Amino acid sequence: MTDGDGADWTDAETFAAALDRAETREKGHFFEFFAEGDEIEHDPGIRLARAGNEQWLSQTLNHDPAYWRTDVAAERGFEEPPIHPDYLLACVMGPSVEDLSEKGGYFLGRTNVRYHETVYPGTEVHVLSTVVDTRTSSSRPDYGIVTWQTEGYDADTGDVLVSYERTNMIPRREQVATDGGSTERSDTYTASDVPDLPETFVTPDGGYLEDFRAALDRAEDEDAAVAYRHERGRTMDDTLVAGLPLATLNTARQHHNRDEMADSPSGDVVAYGDVTRSIALAHARSDEATYRERRFENERFHDFVTLGDTVYGFTRVLDADRPVADAEAGAVTFQHVAFNQENTPVYSGERTALVRCRPE
């Protein structure tokens, strides 16, 4: 291909020279773009399809029959098998990435995750984020820290479906002076964070509310903790690392651009945090009689998960309602930790779910 001057733009040397002279049209925003109080309506919307929901659930081992079978969905009070909360959350996070975090930077955490409505296939979701806070990193002159409140809402009704607050490190256009403080990666453990563990761990006898309550009572008597690991693991493959995030409109290069990530600290593309999270939660849910998801707090991503890593799950039970006569379910609060094949924590979070009472 030549222009009027006879240059062959597809010749390797000519094209390399063209690349050197061309300005890159950037995607995403640097830290300086964000100001407290700004509202950002994310252009992409996403229509939640049953096929996408089922692909997410099958690939992350989420097998709760209420999300697959019409009869079980009806028994739980659903009109039809609904959209799973994990998939809903990922589909709200995904469209926000281009505007908020495509430039990269550590995902420091997410909290105040709330599910407001049951969502069914066919719902069109739009996403709105508000800048809650911006601040300077004390240790990284080339990064700032931004916190956003994000809501995914029904495009037809305006009803908020899910909301959360998340915090990221975001690259700066210009470095600033720092106070030389410690790293802002609050999602890593230090020796001082490790408490004295109890001598005994108690494992529930089953997955119903009564089992969790009985285990907590026993642990209290024995000065023990209710904590256990889950047998299943899931190895990260191309579908999990690149396919699932791209299907939620997540444009972060970390998940699909191996060229860009070759010189990064991870050395390769990394898994979308919500995929890692969903796998860990699936391992936990396989050992409990989940009825409804309620909320999540203090979610952290502690280390990279890359292609070939295997994700396992560990659960600690923090609290459980006492069974009430004629109640279908009661609230149980868990701390979940996902870890890899080297027993390194990669995700943690506190989750409150309604767990079914034992059938009579």
Side-chain angles (χ1 to χ4, degrees):
M1 179 179 67
T2 60
D3 65 8
D5 296 328
D8 181 357
W9 286 61
T10 59
D11 171 74
E13 291 186 3
T14 302
F15 186 67
L19 286 179
D20 286 340
R21 299 177 190 179
E23 180 180 343
T24 299
R25 300 186 65 179
E26 296 178 347
K27 293 292 186 183
H29 297 295
F30 288 98
F31 172 77
E32 291 84 351
F33 173 82
F34 301 103
E36 185 176 337
D38 285 352
E39 288 190 349
I40 303 167
E41 180 82 32
H42 305 292
D43 285 342
I46 189 165
R47 185 173 293 275
L48 303 175
R50 184 175 304 284
N53 188 56
E54 291 182 350
Q55 182 191 35
W56 183 280
L57 297 186
S58 62
Q59 291 295 324
T60 59
L61 297 174
N62 278 274
H63 298 162
D64 186 332
Y67 297 91
W68 296 91
R69 291 175 43 177
T70 55
D71 58 336
V72 178
E75 290 172 2
R76 300 260 195 99
F78 297 126
E79 299 171 9
E80 60 177 302
I83 295 296
H84 196 281
D86 287 4
Y87 182 58
L88 171 64
L89 184 61
C91 285
V92 168
M93 182 94 157
S96 75
V97 167
E98 181 175 354
D99 293 321
L100 305 187
S101 55
E102 185 169 339
K103 283 297 185 191
Y106 294 125
F107 182 0
L108 296 181
R110 181 172 55 200
T111 196
N112 297 327
V113 180
R114 298 291 186 271
Y115 299 103
H116 302 281
E117 302 282 348
T118 299
V119 183
Y120 293 100
T123 301
E124 182 176 325
V125 177
H126 291 185
V127 183
L128 175 71
S129 293
T130 303
V131 180
V132 175
D133 181 62
T134 65
R135 62 188 187 276
T136 297
S137 168
S138 64
S139 60
R140 295 174 181 268
D142 48 347
Y143 282 85
I145 300 171
V146 185
T147 298
W148 305 276
Q149 171 76 22
T150 296
E151 295 179 341
Y153 62 93
D154 188 318
D156 292 331
T157 68
D159 293 338
V160 175
L161 307 175
V162 63
S163 60
Y164 59 85
E165 190 174 285
R166 75 154 161 144
T167 300
N168 271 66
M169 297 189 77
I170 301 295
R172 289 179 173 273
R173 280 196 180 277
E174 302 293 339
Q175 292 188 7
V176 296
T178 72
D179 63 8
S182 60
T183 178
E184 294 287 351
R185 282 205 71 181
S186 59
D187 55 348
T188 56
Y189 292 123
T190 65
S192 61
D193 296 325
V194 180
D196 294 328
L197 294 175
E199 290 292 329
T200 305
F201 285 178
V202 173
T203 304
D205 292 331
Y208 291 101
L209 176 66
E210 294 87 344
D211 299 313
F212 292 115
R213 186 61 259 169
L216 285 170
D217 290 342
R218 177 182 162 197
E220 186 175 1
D221 292 340
E222 299 178 6
D223 193 24
V226 181
Y228 46 93
R229 61 187 296 172
H230 307 281
E231 183 175 12
R232 284 178 175 162
R234 176 73 165 96
T235 299
M236 291 295 183
D237 55 26
D238 286 331
T239 296
L240 291 173
V241 173
L244 290 190
L246 287 171
T248 68
L249 308 186
N250 185 329
T251 56
R253 69 193 72 180
Q254 296 97 307
H255 310 314
H256 60 266
N257 190 329
R258 301 191 80 172
D259 178 49
E260 287 282 345
M261 295 299 290
D263 295 328
S264 71
S266 65
D268 202 348
V269 291
V270 298
Y272 180 16
D274 276 332
V275 172
T276 300
R277 166 193 190 270
S278 193
I279 291 170
L281 298 178
H283 296 335
R285 293 179 185 123
S286 71
D287 291 322
E288 68 184 59
T290 316
Y291 186 76
R292 293 278 199 285
E293 296 294 333
R294 277 291 175 259
R295 61 183 180 273
F296 288 81
E297 307 287 351
N298 303 319
E299 293 192 300
R300 298 289 183 270
F301 296 88
H302 301 276
D303 210 340
F304 302 116
V305 177
T306 62
L307 281 167
D309 283 347
T310 301
V311 174
Y312 296 94
F314 179 93
T315 292
R316 184 164 66 108
V317 183
L318 304 179
D319 193 19
D321 287 350
R322 295 193 179 278
V324 178
D326 300 324
E328 289 185 275
V332 182
T333 299
F334 305 92
Q335 181 187 36
H336 298 298
V337 180
F339 62 96
N340 64 18
Q341 67 278 2
E342 297 175 352
N343 294 339
T344 301
V346 296
Y347 160 84
S348 65
E350 294 176 12
R351 163 179 170 251
T352 299
L354 296 183
V355 175
R356 283 175 286 159
C357 294
R358 188 180 303 282
E360 295 184 1

